Amino acid sequence: MAAETTPPRPRVMVLPFPAQGHVMPLMELAHRLVEHGLDVDFVNTEFAHDRVVKTLEAGGGGDAAGAAGPARINMVSLPDGMDTDGDRTDIGKLAGCLPAAMLGGVEEMIVSKKIRWVVADVSMSWVLRPLTTAGVRVALFSTFSAAIFALRLHVPKMLEDGVIDEYGNVTKKERIQLSPMMPAVDAGELPWTSLGKHPDSRRTLIQTVIKAVPVIELAEVIVCNTFAEIESGALARFPKPALAVGPLEMPSSSSSSCNFWAEDRACLAWLDAQAPGSVVYVAFGSLAVFDAAKLRELADGLALTGRPFLWVVRPNLLADDGAGEGWLDELKRRVGGGGEGMVVGWAPQQRVLSHPSVACFVTHCGWNSTMEGVRHGVPLLCWPYFADQFMNQSYVCDMWGTGMRICADERGAATKEEVRDKVERLLGDEGIKARAMSLKKKACASVAIGGSSHRDLLKLVNLLREQ
């Protein structure tokens, strides 16, 4: 009698936009899919892939060929259409290059590997029409809040009403709130008014969003890194039912599989030596840039609190204007000599936020950081930089009551006294702490077996099994 053969595992392509804040949640989702019996082809651009591979190799997790990654996740790469020395922090320019550079390679992979499903970042929605025309089914993944997704759908109406023009410039001052259950945002803080370093880049982004609105209907399902208990109002505005599968989190053993910078895990031992609830954690994500004057003021403000702090200063956090030369060395000498805190280039953020020594999180309010703060019950001190971060701040401060704003001047600078005072007010507010812990319980319940996000994840897995 012939031995029974195990049927092949269904294969899914995952296609993130090539930025740290997009690669990470889609890698987290890829891990969930693998755990539930699927295989994943994870398609980065060559530039993003090389960054991740170097990080893996630095941590002992990669091989010389650069193909090694998490088990059952095949990491592959395609060109992004930019020159070797192109500015990939110009999101608008990068977004404009991707369709022509990547679509052919995506289609070739789909044919050669007989892929029936693609999980595509909403910022890569240009794949929807050609892939669905070819018979491929697409799940569209939102790397930002459901509220921002709903706001994207509203962009054509904002253009029609003259709130913004085709270059993303604000032409009518309004406060926009699509529903009482959703956060409000000033027109001047809409994501598309600050993304893109030049008018042409912003216009490319606005046009990309406009073109995406009608093709979203082609997606089989919309998947969000959120949970129903906090965004039911926004999810209700989607053009079709959505699956809320968050807050997503990376297995601690695989956290390097999506990082563009190597994690400095020495900070965990440093945290172990600090008193419970004493440390101010500071991190501004992967794209925010500050001038030296702002950073010095922040450093002085942290020192004035008298509390230990852990500060992530990634290599390109400081604006390249020449004025800040030697600033980081100066800060490290100061911190190392006085024992005020610790400065690292990149941190295992989820493990940091779950550490009992951490008291609060000074954050740019990127959606990944916001969700991680929520999942671990950490009060947030908000200092948004651009894009969706202002609306995320509105969620934190106005709707959830789990944090406070840093009040900056018109140049975006905050005084050391403002930093000191807000840290002390935040940590002295028992109501904020209680609400943060309450939201943590809801977040953890949502991803636990039987929770709303766990149920939606199983729905997604079952859908992707339909080969």
Side-chain angles (χ1 to χ4, degrees):
M1 185 176 181
E4 292 185 9
T5 58
T6 303
R9 292 163 60 109
R11 178 170 290 278
V12 177
M13 177 186 288
V14 174
L15 185 64
F17 184 84
Q20 177 74 83
H22 293 247
V23 171
M24 186 177 76
L26 276 158
M27 181 61 79
E28 290 169 341
L29 179 64
H31 278 275
R32 300 288 84 75
L33 299 181
V34 165
E35 289 170 1
H36 286 85
L38 287 85
D39 285 350
V40 171
D41 288 307
F42 197 89
V43 183
N44 270 316
T45 62
E46 291 172 348
F47 182 83
H49 178 81
D50 288 347
R51 295 280 299 270
V52 171
V53 166
K54 286 176 182 176
T55 301
L56 282 167
E57 290 173 344
D63 66 7
R72 299 285 185 177
I73 299 178
N74 178 37
M75 299 173 69
V76 295
S77 63
L78 295 170
D80 62 12
M82 296 188 73
D83 295 335
T84 304
D85 58 351
D87 182 6
R88 289 167 176 82
T89 64
D90 187 337
I91 301 300
K93 186 175 182 180
L94 177 58
C97 292
L98 293 175
M102 294 189 72
L103 182 57
V106 168
E107 290 175 328
E108 287 177 15
M109 279 188 61
I110 284 169
V111 171
S112 65
K113 298 197 174 190
K114 299 179 180 179
I115 292 170
R116 301 295 302 143
W117 272 100
V118 173
V119 179
D121 191 326
V122 68
S123 298
M124 305 288 272
S125 56
W126 46 265
V127 301
L128 271 166
R129 193 175 299 282
L131 293 192
T132 54
T133 299
V136 179
R137 303 171 76 178
V138 179
L140 204 58
F141 182 86
S142 175
T143 55
F144 29 70
S145 70
I148 288 291
F149 191 99
L151 197 64
R152 284 174 67 96
L153 301 176
H154 194 64
V155 165
K157 184 70 166 59
M158 288 189 284
L159 281 164
E160 180 184 324
D161 292 346
V163 177
I164 55 177
D165 66 17
E166 63 175 0
Y167 287 92
N169 300 312
V170 177
T171 48
K172 187 187 294 184
K173 291 185 178 180
E174 287 189 4
R175 190 155 176 82
I176 298 160
Q177 187 173 29
L178 301 183
S179 158
M181 298 176 68
M182 293 170 59
V185 65
D186 291 331
E189 295 177 341
L190 288 167
W192 309 280
T193 64
S194 55
L195 275 169
K197 294 187 174 182
H198 308 285
D200 287 344
S201 294
R202 290 196 297 275
R203 187 177 187 277
T204 297
L205 286 168
I206 288 284
Q207 292 303 314
T208 298
V209 172
I210 293 169
K211 291 175 183 176
V213 171
V215 300
I216 284 172
E217 285 287 349
L218 299 175
E220 297 254 351
V221 66
I222 301 168
V223 186
C224 299
N225 182 19
T226 188
F227 57 110
E229 289 78 1
I230 59 169
E231 286 211 278
S232 59
L235 291 165
R237 298 187 66 89
F238 282 24
K240 56 178 59 185
L243 298 177
V245 299
L248 291 167
E249 191 160 65
M250 187 70 72
S252 59
S253 60
S254 303
S255 59
S256 294
S257 62
C258 63
N259 280 327
F260 286 15
W261 294 275
E263 294 173 341
D264 187 341
R265 299 201 170 204
C267 65
L268 299 175
W270 180 85
L271 284 172
D272 290 341
Q274 309 307 313
S278 66
V279 175
V280 179
Y281 174 57
V282 186
F284 297 112
S286 59
L287 290 173
V289 176
F290 293 85
D291 61 42
K294 291 179 187 176
L295 293 176
R296 285 194 178 97
E297 204 73 16
L298 176 56
D300 290 343
L302 293 172
L304 287 175
T305 67
R307 294 175 175 272
F309 60 85
L310 172 61
W311 190 353
V312 176
V313 181
R314 63 169 207 278
N316 58 348
L317 178 69
L318 182 65
D320 187 18
D321 57 8
E325 190 173 347
W327 172 83
L328 183 56
D329 290 337
E330 172 192 325
L331 176 64
K332 287 182 175 178
R333 282 195 301 270
R334 172 176 164 181
V335 169
E340 298 171 1
M342 185 174 190
V343 177
V344 296
W346 199 247
Q349 182 160 289
Q350 294 170 0
R351 294 184 65 182
V352 168
L353 291 172
S354 66
H355 199 285
S357 293
V358 171
C360 67
F361 181 13
V362 182
T363 173
H364 66 307
C365 293
W367 188 243
N368 294 317
S369 290
T370 301
M371 283 290 91
E372 289 162 4
V374 165
R375 180 158 183 163
H376 296 292
V378 180
L380 305 179
L381 187 53
C382 304
W383 196 354
Y385 175 68
F386 72 166
D388 62 328
Q389 297 160 14
F390 295 97
M391 184 171 268
N392 299 341
Q393 173 183 249
S394 184
Y395 257 141
V396 171
C397 301
D398 303 331
M399 302 203 70
W400 305 335
T402 57
M404 290 183 178
R405 292 173 170 84
I406 287 181
C407 294
D409 60 22
E410 64 278 359
R411 297 176 300 108
T415 66
K416 57 181 176 289
E417 292 83 7
E418 167 70 8
V419 173
R420 175 198 62 196
D421 294 348
K422 282 294 169 63
V423 168
E424 292 308 317
R425 281 181 56 192
L426 180 68
L427 296 183
D429 192 318
E430 295 302 321
I432 286 178
K433 292 180 184 178
R435 288 187 290 272
M437 291 306 297
S438 175
L439 206 55
K440 173 185 176 179
K441 291 178 182 177
K442 293 177 181 178
C444 292
S446 74
V447 295
I449 294 175
S452 61
S453 292
H454 183 259
R455 295 195 303 270
D456 275 3
L457 176 63
L458 294 182
K459 290 177 185 177
L460 176 62
V461 169
N462 289 333
L463 193 60
L464 297 178
R465 285 181 175 279
E466 296 176 5
Q467 297 288 306

